[in-house]
């Protein structure tokens, strides 16, 4: 069977993105570069857990890090990451928005 080039890598990317906590971290980092401490504070996750997720994201090439003394700041490695996440969120929220609009339209028409 002949497979399209890149499918295995894309599948691996979706495995990494298939974790809600990692998506949340990527959304936060997409807004602005942040340290592990800032991410732990924003999410309520422990620093070791945030670090573990960031390690996975860095190994997958989704985030990059910059060290300044003892502080490490994380940022998105590529703007495409934020587009993939935004598109996924739009996709899952779109049916819900359509349902709400249709439901309110039906209510307005009911005497």
């Amino acid at each position: 069977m002949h497979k399209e080039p890149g499918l295995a890598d894309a599948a691996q990317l979706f495995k990494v993105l298939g974790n809600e906590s990692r998506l949340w971290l990527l959304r936060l980092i997409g807004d602005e570069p942040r340290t592990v401490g800032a991410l732990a504070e924003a999410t309520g996750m422990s620093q070791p857990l945030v670090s573990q997720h960031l390690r996975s994201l860095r190994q997958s090439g989704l985030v990059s890090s910059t060290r300044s003394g003892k502080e490490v700041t994380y940022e998105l490695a590529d703007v495409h990451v934020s587009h993939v996440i935004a598109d996924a969120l739009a996709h899952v929220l779109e049916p819900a928005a359509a349902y709400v609009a249709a439901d309110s339209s039906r209510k307005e028409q009911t005497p």
Side-chain angles (χ1 to χ4, degrees):
M1 176 166 58
H2 179 70
K3 290 185 183 176
E4 185 175 339
L7 283 178
D9 291 336
Q12 184 59 38
L13 170 68
F14 283 114
K15 281 184 186 178
V16 173
L17 293 176
N19 178 283
E20 184 178 352
S21 295
R22 286 194 286 267
L23 285 175
W24 191 7
L25 293 172
L26 287 168
R27 291 286 284 183
L28 291 169
I29 294 169
D31 290 340
E32 64 180 322
R34 298 179 193 231
T35 63
V36 172
L39 289 166
E41 186 177 321
T43 61
M45 289 187 261
S46 69
Q47 284 192 346
L49 182 56
V50 170
S51 293
Q52 181 181 11
H53 284 307
L54 289 170
R55 187 176 324 109
S56 294
L57 294 169
R58 198 173 60 224
Q59 288 172 345
S60 298
L62 298 174
V63 300
S64 61
S65 59
T66 312
R67 180 176 292 277
S68 177
K70 290 184 177 185
E71 193 171 78
V72 179
T73 303
Y74 293 87
E75 62 187 332
L76 293 182
D78 188 331
V79 70
H80 291 105
V81 175
S82 61
H83 292 291
V84 169
I85 296 167
D87 286 348
L89 288 171
H91 175 73
V92 298
L93 295 175
E94 191 173 73
Y99 175 77
V100 169
D103 189 46
S104 66
S105 176
R106 278 194 302 267
K107 287 178 182 177
E108 290 174 3
Q109 294 173 0
T110 305

